Amino acid sequence: MAKENLQHIRQLVAQQAARMMAEDGISDYAYAKKKAGRQLGALESSSLPSNAEVEEELKLYNALYLSEEQPENLRDLRKNALFTMQMLERFNPYLTGPVLDGTAGLLSETHIHLFADSIKEVEMFLLNQQIPFDVNEKSYRIMNDGKRDKRGDGRKTVPVFTLEMDTGLIKLSVFEVDDIRVPTKRATDGSNADRVGIDELKALIAAS
């Protein structure tokens, strides 16, 4: 396959994956790329774009096609995240992911990291508040030995509580208390993921 043709296919797949992430609430880059690849008949791994390429197309899509809806929706998602974080303040909540970095689509999941002595604490709190939830797990890439390459990456699997809200799903990943000093990695480029606490999120909302 010619290099120019391959690059064109990668771009088409990136654009289709970005559209699905913006419009359909898909948050998993790998899933969006594979689904877009199947739809376009690009099944070889060499035809699939990087996560960073999809993220760039996602930003473009939001700017071109959702310039009115997306900022308002993002503000609503951040306000809902703030409400949830204030409710869970005892567990040192931090917002991360698309709702923080501004790439969140219309049905995007909201990702909040909690830091608790045990998963039971969080579970009992939600039960006592009569908040329905599902529980599963998520594997995060984390920084090992201060390195930035893949050999320096480790993985940590943590329990995740999923809350279904009017604005979309909220994912509460529960880490150990000491993990607050260990950054997780961004799916797009492997850099340390940004995260903000309650006061920083308040400031972000006020500035928007």
Side-chain angles (χ1 to χ4, degrees), residues 7-55:
Q7 185 56 39
H8 179 63
I9 292 173
R10 284 170 65 96
Q11 185 176 18
L12 290 177
V13 174
Q15 290 171 343
Q16 179 72 347
R19 185 198 65 76
M20 291 189 296
M21 294 182 78
E23 298 279 3
D24 302 336
I26 295 173
S27 61
D28 186 291
Y29 280 91
Y31 176 76
K33 289 189 296 185
K34 288 177 182 177
K35 186 173 182 180
R38 285 197 300 271
Q39 291 177 354
L40 296 171
L43 302 178
E44 297 179 13
S45 58
S46 60
S47 302
L48 298 182
S50 67
N51 292 347
E53 289 173 288
V54 176
E55 184 181 48

Side-chain angles (χ1 to χ4, degrees), residues 76-95:
D76 288 343
L77 287 170
R78 286 173 172 172
K79 284 183 175 180
N80 205 38
L82 178 61
F83 173 81
T84 304
M85 289 165 68
Q86 289 172 325
M87 178 182 66
L88 296 162
E89 187 170 8
R90 70 180 67 181
F91 303 116
N92 296 311
Y94 282 84
L95 176 66

